[in-house]
């Protein structure tokens, strides 16, 4: 029955919390859906940045589902990192439109973020959506829902390459972990998956169906297609 959601903090209390964290050099992450909630976060971060400028603070807005174009421009200027979950519109895109009307088609506007110079970051929001990176990447590149409907205009789409980056190196940067996660390079943790096809070469609508042949965490094999979920104990204890 509540179409407007609920606030965990009054705006003044929330702004004070953000200002305090920012003064201490702490990154904040706030769950916000709807233009009203997003406005609370953006305004608080802008005020904190005005008091102590730090465009590398990487304050986050988790979900950030329905920001306005004007809020997106301000997020770019304030260095805010939204974290979207494409599987949300894959699973429930029609429900969002039914709940809020036409604006629901812009749910998780990744294409608008990237066009405005805002870092695109993708997560699963597990256990709300299952942690299936290839499904999330496909959803970001197609905006096709589980029911087969296209959600929103072309301006909201991103490429498969952008979606892959959003789920890897951009996500690492958003967490402040780009020095050890997010890409394969010397000195980083060797976390990677071996796939049965190139997600940048297949049709975007086929990405979720690519077979995962192996997964490795910190250089140790954790899964192979012929030995599901069996750890390599010799490697771990070597």
């Amino acid at each position: 029955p509540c179409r407007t959601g609920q606030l965990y903090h009054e705006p003044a209390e929330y702004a004070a919390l953000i200002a305090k964290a920012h003064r201490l050099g702490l990154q904040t992450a706030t769950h916000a859906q709807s233009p009203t909630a997003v406005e609370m976060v953006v305004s608080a971060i802008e005020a904190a940045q005005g008091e102590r400028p730090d465009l590398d603070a990487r304050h986050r807005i988790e979900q950030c589902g329905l920001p306005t174009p004007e809020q997106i421009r301000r997020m770019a200027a304030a260095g805010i990192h939204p974290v979207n979950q494409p599987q949300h519109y894959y699973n429930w895109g029609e429900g969002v439109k039914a709940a809020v009307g036409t604006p629901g088609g812009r749910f998780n506007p990744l294409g608008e973020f990237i066009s405005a110079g805002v870092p695109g970051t993708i997560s699963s929001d597990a256990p709300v959506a299952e942690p299936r990176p290839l499904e999330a990447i496909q959803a970001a590149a197609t905006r096709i829902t589980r029911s087969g409907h296209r959600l929103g205009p072309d301006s909201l789409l991103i490429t498969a390459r952008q979606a892959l980056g959003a789920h890897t190196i951009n996500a690492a940067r958003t967490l402040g972990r780009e020095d050890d996660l997010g890409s394969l390079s010397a000195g980083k943790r060797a976390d990677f998956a071996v796939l049965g096809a190139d997600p940048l070469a297949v049709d975007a609508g086929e990405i979720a169906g690519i077979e995962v042949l192996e997964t490795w965490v910190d250089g140790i094999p954790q899964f192979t297609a012929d030995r599901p979920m069996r750890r390599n104990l010799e490697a771990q204890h070597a």
Side-chain angles (χ1 to χ4, degrees):
C2 178
R3 288 170 54 92
T4 58
Q6 63 188 49
L7 296 177
Y8 286 94
H9 303 281
E10 291 302 312
E13 176 196 14
Y14 173 75
L17 289 170
I18 293 293
K20 181 178 180 179
H22 185 75
R23 281 195 299 270
L24 294 171
L26 299 176
Q27 182 190 40
T28 64
T30 306
H31 180 292
Q33 298 272 35
S34 88
T36 302
V38 170
E39 179 61 34
M40 235 175 87
V41 183
V42 173
S43 294
I45 293 172
E46 286 175 332
Q49 290 280 20
E51 179 185 300
R52 188 183 73 83
D54 178 6
L55 291 182
D56 197 36
R58 307 188 198 187
H59 296 298
R60 307 202 309 264
I61 303 181
E62 303 296 319
Q63 323 299 354
C64 200
L66 293 165
T68 67
E70 187 263 343
Q71 288 169 340
I72 292 173
R73 289 191 292 272
R74 288 162 59 200
M75 289 165 61
I80 296 171
H81 290 240
V83 182
N84 278 178
Q85 294 77 28
Q87 287 162 288
H88 284 193
Y89 53 74
Y90 174 68
N91 288 319
W92 307 294
E94 290 86 358
V96 174
K97 286 196 70 174
V100 303
T102 301
R106 290 183 62 256
F107 190 46
N108 282 221
L110 274 162
E112 292 184 8
F113 286 138
I114 289 176
S115 294
V118 176
T121 302
I122 289 175
S123 77
S124 67
D125 202 30
V128 177
E130 293 189 28
R132 296 176 175 172
L134 294 176
E135 183 177 274
I137 290 168
Q138 175 174 311
T142 65
R143 291 189 68 87
I144 301 296
T145 69
R146 187 179 292 276
S147 300
H149 299 132
R150 170 77 172 274
L151 191 69
D154 287 351
S155 61
L156 304 177
L157 293 170
I158 61 175
T159 67
R161 182 177 296 278
Q162 288 170 329
L164 181 62
H167 219 324
T168 53
I169 189 61
N170 285 11
R173 290 193 188 103
T174 295
L175 290 171
R177 296 287 303 276
E178 68 271 27
D179 289 340
D180 65 326
L181 298 174
S183 63
L184 291 176
S185 57
K188 291 192 177 186
R189 294 168 59 97
D191 296 351
F192 62 92
V194 180
L195 305 179
D198 182 353
L200 305 183
V202 304
D203 183 89
E206 299 175 355
I207 293 173
I210 294 175
E211 183 181 10
V212 178
L213 303 178
E214 299 178 10
T215 59
W216 293 63
V217 177
D218 206 15
I220 298 172
Q222 301 294 319
F223 167 89
T224 61
D226 60 338
R227 290 179 293 149
M229 302 308 293
R230 192 174 82 184
R231 293 178 180 273
N232 186 329
L233 297 180
E234 292 82 8
Q236 284 186 323
H237 292 290

